[in-house]
Amino acid sequence: MKRKVRVVLYGVGVIGSMVAKFLLEKEGIEIVGAIDVAKDKVGKDLGEVIGVNKHLGITVSDNTTTVLSKTKPDIVIHTTTSFMEKVYPQIAEIVKHGVNVVSTCEELSYPYLSSPDLAKKLDALAKKHDATILGTGINPGFLMDTLVITLTAPCQKIESIQVRRIMNAATRRVPFQKKIGAGLTIEEFKEKIEKKIISGHIGLEQSIAMIADALAWELDRIQVNTVEPVVAKKSVKSEAIIVEKGRAAGLKQCAYGIRNDKKVISLEFQAYIGAEEEYDAVTIEGAPTIKQKISPCVHGDIGTVAMIYNSIPKVLNAEAGLKTMKDLPVPSAAVEDMRKYVKERETT
Amino acid sequence: MKRKVRVVLYGVGVIGSMVAKFLLEKEGIEIVGAIDVAKDKVGKDLGEVIGVNKHLGITVSDNTTTVLSKTKPDIVIHTTTSFMEKVYPQIAEIVKHGVNVVSTCEELSYPYLSSPDLAKKLDALAKKHDATILGTGINPGFLMDTLVITLTAPCQKIESIQVRRIMNAATRRVPFQKKIGAGLTIEEFKEKIEKKIISGHIGLEQSIAMIADALAWELDRIQVNTVEPVVAKKSVKSEAIIVEKGRAAGLKQCAYGIRNDKKVISLEFQAYIGAEEEYDAVTIEGAPTIKQKISPCVHGDIGTVAMIYNSIPKVLNAEAGLKTMKDLPVPSAAVEDMRKYVKERETT
């Protein structure tokens, strides 16, 4: 039997901890190290940090080089921040150790948009050190880009694409409900938007750019509208928050890919307490027109953990370089022993 | 500008002719030759054979070697029969010329099931001659396999998968309506099943095997049920056929992937006159459960032409060998000039 896939976690926050707990249940894969800069985590056992009642024998460290040199992982699961400029030095350091990376960094899902130069540098670095880099997640990474691209495959012509994700925030984590402004007055909501305390969904531009790239559509521009409150038409509530009529139940954000003055790609994201139907819908106007819907919508946290985990064998099996979801083989679930999905590798 | 992609058609029947007409409208790609063994086609101009009022200057030939040697195409679009044993010598001959192949042969969509030895031989031959081979289409090739595999990507666990394709045959070609037995008495229908005049859908086994392979599920067996008539509950009709109550309006076929005595993959295909809703549905029972529906269902002929055409750049850009849809990058539409999708190649 092949040896287990060795994983180091880089970032042990909310998502990193969820990934860690999931990894502990799986076969053919093991956590061999954990990196985080937070002072309240460094030096502690990973089991304590992620909140499982078990000593895992892995001490969270803030020294990337030491951890990677000692543990020699196959892949790093990177969950720190959303922006290329911030993750670049982190990922560059990992790759210099010849280690593959799968990251939840939203901008990395299609890095050529915000940071084409950093993307080129990462690609060159990855190739030099024989490593593969992928940014993914449920969104960006799947629902509003990879799945949309896949659904264009049976089309002879395409006029326009509309993608819509409607989430009932009541079923989500309380911090998420607060993050989307549920319960605020409209004035408070707008103030928090201005102060960037409420920032909306990150990744809509990346999803649009990736779809356009797959179709070889040259866009004039990508327009991202200001985040708007979804105003409660009646009083609605979650277990944690009561939203009175007229207050913000959550947020709505739209983004467009514009070509020849036409909105050829439209993405709409809504997350609010009280949504009557939760769904992910894709409409491709063309020949044939494709009307697709996933109902209820895919749960963000569960989906993100799955996307990250299921991408591991795709990244390990890929050639070296900076990849996006559309460059890799058809995504799929790795529900059995992880070793069944990974091609033969050198043993370290 | 790069030179156009050069295509030879191998098989100029119903599907081959539809592909040819579509190719004539597209930019960056050209038909440079046509092969067919039918005596009523050989020697005629392709324009006449496919029924366009235009002399295309391409004479249909039954000599593969002559056509490929003279025209030096990038790819052959192969649309002859459904079975590996019959297409093997045809595809082997094409590949020996170092030419890529995309084929509608249903068994070739996942060739390791019916003909593992021939598949191995084709793969070796393709690698030897630096060519890539792909079997695809709308079904098998997309709706009941590639799309299903893609939809597993956000899953942490999977218990079972159900896929259903319901078509209203009234909206399809008349030969298709006859092929599925619409209008026959139940006795006539059963007789035609026995005599294999009605054969049902080909490819359900291949779709199941491809899904199982993607998930690394070892199936005990694949069970394909006998084709059954869909009995008209009231009189229904298409423009061409009236189906009286109690007669066959079309057919239904089910197939199962069985693992530990459980139907873990279920495919159901129904095509009949009078279906109230036409749809393609995928349900993945797991964490999370994914309930997806495309409504109306994707039109078979339009979708097959699109899948074949849109696969051309994927095949041209792939490494050599026998590939299946799940091995290639995320499928997508090639709606612009074909040259935009094809990586730099040597010019001949």
Side-chain angles (χ1 to χ4, degrees):
Chain A
M1 189 89 191
K2 289 182 278 192
R3 66 171 175 79
K4 290 184 181 179
V5 171
R6 297 165 64 81
V7 176
V8 163
L9 303 167
Y10 192 119
V12 199
V14 176
I15 296 290
S17 297
M18 287 192 296
V19 171
K21 284 178 209 161
F22 185 63
L23 280 166
L24 292 175
E25 295 169 15
K26 303 298 290 182
E27 284 173 39
I29 190 161
E30 58 187 343
I31 304 172
V32 296
I35 299 162
D36 203 298
V37 293
K39 293 221 168 85
D40 60 333
K41 291 173 188 165
V42 174
K44 288 190 181 157
D45 186 76
L46 181 65
E48 185 185 344
V49 172
I50 66 173
V52 293
N53 280 327
K54 211 161 79 176
H55 184 82
L56 297 175
I58 296 161
T59 306
V60 176
S61 163
D62 59 1
N63 191 322
T64 304
T65 292
T66 306
V67 172
L68 297 184
S69 303
K70 272 193 185 169
T71 60
K72 299 195 188 309
D74 297 296
I75 193 160
V76 164
I77 295 180
H78 175 267
T79 57
T80 62
T81 81
S82 307
F83 306 105
M84 274 295 281
E85 297 226 337
K86 288 189 182 166
V87 304
Y88 175 80
Q90 300 169 353
I91 292 179
E93 191 178 4
I94 300 165
V95 165
K96 280 177 189 163
H97 286 83
V99 175
N100 303 293
V101 183
V102 58
S103 170
T104 55
C105 170
E106 285 92 338
E107 286 189 352
L108 188 68
S109 69
Y110 191 80
Y112 315 105
L113 185 68
S114 67
S115 314
D117 293 339
L118 293 182
K120 259 183 225 166
K121 282 168 74 176
L122 274 186
D123 185 52
L125 206 59
K127 283 174 178 157
K128 184 177 166 193
H129 295 279
D130 193 25
T132 307
I133 305 167
L134 175 72
T136 192
I138 194 70
N139 185 29
F142 188 72
L143 291 169
M144 296 183 111
D145 38 48
T146 308
L147 179 59
V148 181
I149 291 168
T150 303
L151 288 167
T152 68
C155 293
Q156 295 187 356
K157 285 180 192 173
I158 300 176
E159 300 296 331
S160 66
I161 296 173
Q162 292 97 44
V163 187
R164 185 179 260 193
R165 175 157 169 78
I166 310 290
M167 291 167 58
N168 182 1
T171 66
R172 300 309 197 271
R173 286 180 276 135
V174 176
F176 179 81
Q177 295 176 29
K178 293 194 173 154
K179 202 174 113 186
I180 60 166
L184 301 178
T185 65
I186 304 306
E187 290 67 38
E188 288 168 343
F189 186 96
K190 289 188 176 165
E191 202 185 307
K192 291 206 173 185
I193 289 289
E194 267 173 37
K195 290 185 179 166
K196 296 189 178 175
I197 299 167
I198 295 176
S199 62
H201 180 70
I202 302 169
L204 294 176
E205 293 155 279
Q206 280 69 32
S207 292
I208 289 173
M210 201 202 296
I211 295 168
D213 185 5
L215 297 176
W217 279 358
E218 279 153 46
L219 299 178
D220 307 332
R221 61 197 170 89
I222 295 174
Q223 174 188 325
V224 182
N225 286 4
T226 315
V227 177
E228 293 168 56
V230 176
V231 182
K233 287 178 189 161
K234 56 177 185 183
S235 176
V236 291
K237 62 176 180 177
S238 68
E239 279 183 27
I241 297 176
I242 295 172
V243 183
E244 285 163 32
K245 184 181 165 183
R247 288 196 167 212
L251 59 77
K252 174 181 172 173
Q253 190 162 24
C254 295
Y256 305 99
I258 295 169
R259 190 189 193 202
N260 304 328
D261 292 324
K262 206 187 140 193
K263 291 172 178 169
V264 290
I265 303 172
S266 305
L267 306 191
E268 183 183 328
F269 177 88
Q270 292 192 32
Y272 62 99
I273 293 176
E276 285 185 6
E277 190 189 359
E278 294 198 287
Y279 61 88
D280 290 295
V282 179
T283 299
I284 301 168
E285 301 280 354
T289 289
I290 307 273
K291 293 191 181 189
Q292 189 254 19
K293 197 177 198 181
I294 298 175
S295 179
C297 69
V298 180
H299 193 288
D301 289 346
I302 300 176
T304 285
V305 171
M307 287 302 301
I308 289 289
Y309 181 83
N310 293 334
S311 295
I312 293 172
K314 311 286 178 186
V315 169
L316 295 183
N317 294 340
E319 55 174 26
L322 173 59
K323 302 290 175 190
T324 67
M325 286 296 290
K326 76 172 189 57
D327 308 318
L328 293 180
V330 171
S332 56
V335 285
E336 301 292 307
D337 187 304
M338 180 55 87
R339 288 168 285 198
K340 291 191 181 179
Y341 304 96
V342 179
K343 287 184 201 162
E344 266 326 310
R345 298 157 294 153
E346 299 158 42
T347 46
T348 50
Chain B
M1 188 90 192
K2 288 182 278 190
R3 66 171 175 78
K4 290 184 181 178
V5 171
R6 297 165 64 82
V7 176
V8 162
L9 303 167
Y10 192 120
V12 200
V14 176
I15 296 290
S17 296
M18 287 193 296
V19 171
K21 283 178 208 162
F22 185 64
L23 280 166
L24 292 176
E25 294 169 15
K26 303 298 288 181
E27 284 174 39
I29 191 161
E30 59 187 342
I31 304 172
V32 296
I35 298 163
D36 203 297
V37 293
K39 293 221 170 86
D40 59 334
K41 291 172 186 165
V42 175
K44 286 188 181 160
D45 185 76
L46 181 64
E48 185 186 343
V49 172
I50 67 174
V52 293
N53 279 326
K54 209 161 79 177
H55 185 83
L56 298 175
I58 296 160
T59 305
V60 177
S61 164
D62 59 1
N63 191 321
T64 304
T65 292
T66 305
V67 171
L68 297 183
S69 304
K70 271 194 185 168
T71 61
K72 300 195 186 308
D74 298 295
I75 193 160
V76 163
I77 295 179
H78 174 267
T79 57
T80 62
T81 81
S82 306
F83 306 105
M84 274 295 283
E85 297 227 336
K86 287 189 183 168
V87 303
Y88 176 80
Q90 300 169 353
I91 292 179
E93 191 177 6
I94 300 165
V95 166
K96 281 177 189 162
H97 285 84
V99 175
N100 303 294
V101 183
V102 57
S103 170
T104 55
C105 171
E106 284 91 339
E107 286 189 352
L108 187 67
S109 69
Y110 192 79
Y112 315 104
L113 184 68
S114 67
S115 313
D117 293 339
L118 293 182
K120 259 183 223 166
K121 283 168 75 176
L122 273 187
D123 184 52
L125 206 58
K127 283 175 177 155
K128 183 176 167 193
H129 296 280
D130 193 25
T132 308
I133 305 167
L134 174 72
T136 192
I138 194 72
N139 185 29
F142 187 72
L143 292 169
M144 296 183 110
D145 38 48
T146 307
L147 179 59
V148 181
I149 291 168
T150 303
L151 288 166
T152 67
C155 293
Q156 294 187 356
K157 285 181 192 173
I158 300 177
E159 300 295 330
S160 65
I161 296 173
Q162 292 99 43
V163 187
R164 185 180 259 194
R165 176 158 168 79
I166 310 290
M167 291 166 57
N168 182 0
T171 66
R172 300 307 197 271
R173 286 180 276 134
V174 176
F176 178 82
Q177 295 177 29
K178 292 193 173 153
K179 203 175 114 187
I180 60 166
L184 300 177
T185 65
I186 303 306
E187 290 67 36
E188 287 167 343
F189 186 97
K190 290 188 173 164
E191 202 184 310
K192 290 205 173 184
I193 289 288
E194 266 174 36
K195 291 185 179 167
K196 297 189 177 177
I197 299 166
I198 295 176
S199 61
H201 180 69
I202 302 169
L204 294 176
E205 293 155 278
Q206 280 69 32
S207 292
I208 290 173
M210 202 203 292
I211 295 168
D213 186 4
L215 297 176
W217 279 358
E218 278 152 46
L219 300 177
D220 306 333
R221 62 198 169 87
I222 295 174
Q223 173 188 325
V224 181
N225 286 4
T226 315
V227 177
E228 294 168 53
V230 175
V231 182
K233 287 177 188 161
K234 57 179 184 180
S235 177
V236 290
K237 63 178 178 174
S238 67
E239 278 184 29
I241 297 176
I242 295 171
V243 183
E244 285 164 32
K245 184 182 165 181
R247 289 195 166 212
L251 60 77
K252 174 182 172 172
Q253 190 163 24
C254 295
Y256 305 99
I258 295 169
R259 192 187 191 202
N260 304 328
D261 292 323
K262 205 187 139 193
K263 290 173 178 169
V264 289
I265 303 171
S266 304
L267 306 191
E268 182 183 328
F269 177 90
Q270 292 192 32
Y272 61 99
I273 292 175
E276 285 185 8
E277 190 189 0
E278 295 197 285
Y279 61 88
D280 289 295
V282 178
T283 299
I284 301 169
E285 302 280 354
T289 289
I290 306 272
K291 294 192 181 187
Q292 189 254 19
K293 197 178 200 182
I294 297 174
S295 179
C297 69
V298 181
H299 192 288
D301 289 346
I302 299 176
T304 285
V305 170
M307 287 302 301
I308 288 290
Y309 180 83
N310 292 334
S311 295
I312 292 172
K314 311 286 179 188
V315 170
L316 295 184
N317 294 341
E319 56 175 24
L322 174 59
K323 303 291 175 189
T324 68
M325 285 297 289
K326 77 172 188 59
D327 308 319
L328 293 180
V330 170
S332 57
V335 284
E336 301 292 307
D337 187 303
M338 180 55 88
R339 287 167 286 196
K340 291 191 181 178
Y341 304 96
V342 179
K343 287 184 200 160
E344 269 322 312
R345 297 156 295 154
E346 299 158 41
T347 46
T348 49

